[in-house]
Amino acid sequence: MKLTSLLAAGLLAVATTGAYANDYAPATVAMTGGPTNWSISFGTTHSDGQAFTDTYKFSYSGLPGSATGAFFNIASVTGNLDFSWADINGTPLTVVNSWPVSGSVFFVTPVSGLITLTINGTGSGVASYAGTLDVTAPVPEPATYGMMLGGLALLGVVARRRKG
């Protein structure tokens, strides 16, 4: 009975560690910049030739904006990465695997709040990728401010007429 339990525990431990050994999920990182533009660099190395799912979380002011960026791997004599899929906050990104370069370039992907970038793929040998992510929040046009001030002035006139 003890031997069976130990054997089952050992098999479970090996199966569990093998399934998640190559995934990378660092702590949430604050993007630099502001008040309307933020940026961050990211990347990692995979060395065991297995499938991976890397999950990055980035924080910024949280204003609605557009994310642009890219991540790439360049094949070398030590190894290569092939990307299966990637997404930002659930929005799929197009990935390309065209030896010797694999990766993704993305433009005007809507974001707000916490950004989660997930990258999935497989590696061979020792290989790494690197990338950047930029978020730009729209800046209101001067006409927008003019309309807002005009609306506030109109509200002031109406409130004054009701009072008097």
Side-chain angles (χ1 to χ4, degrees):
M1 182 71 175
K2 275 187 174 182
L3 182 59
T4 306
S5 297
L6 288 173
L7 183 59
L11 288 173
L12 185 59
V14 168
T16 303
T17 57
Y20 300 103
N22 208 18
D23 297 345
Y24 180 64
T28 301
V29 178
M31 298 177 78
T32 59
T36 58
N37 296 303
W38 298 267
S39 64
I40 191 93
S41 296
F42 59 91
T44 192
T45 299
H46 292 285
S47 60
D48 59 8
Q50 295 180 5
F52 61 87
T53 300
D54 299 339
T55 306
Y56 299 92
K57 293 186 185 264
F58 306 114
S59 63
Y60 71 110
S61 76
L63 293 173
S66 297
T68 59
F71 61 89
F72 290 102
N73 163 71
I74 299 176
S76 69
V77 294
T78 62
N80 184 39
L81 297 175
D82 283 324
F83 300 106
S84 304
W85 57 266
D87 68 44
I88 292 181
N89 291 350
T91 301
L93 303 176
T94 302
V95 294
V96 176
N97 295 301
S98 180
W99 196 88
V101 177
S102 57
S104 178
V105 176
F106 48 95
F107 302 97
V108 193
T109 303
V111 294
S112 64
L114 185 68
I115 298 173
T116 302
L117 171 64
T118 308
I119 301 171
N120 181 280
T122 54
S124 63
V126 177
S128 54
Y129 67 90
T132 60
L133 175 68
D134 300 308
V135 174
T136 304
V139 177
E141 296 288 328
T144 304
Y145 287 119
M147 286 177 54
M148 182 181 72
L149 289 174
L152 289 173
L154 184 60
L155 284 174
V157 167
V158 169
R160 186 175 176 107
R161 284 184 125 181
R162 284 189 179 177
K163 191 175 182 182

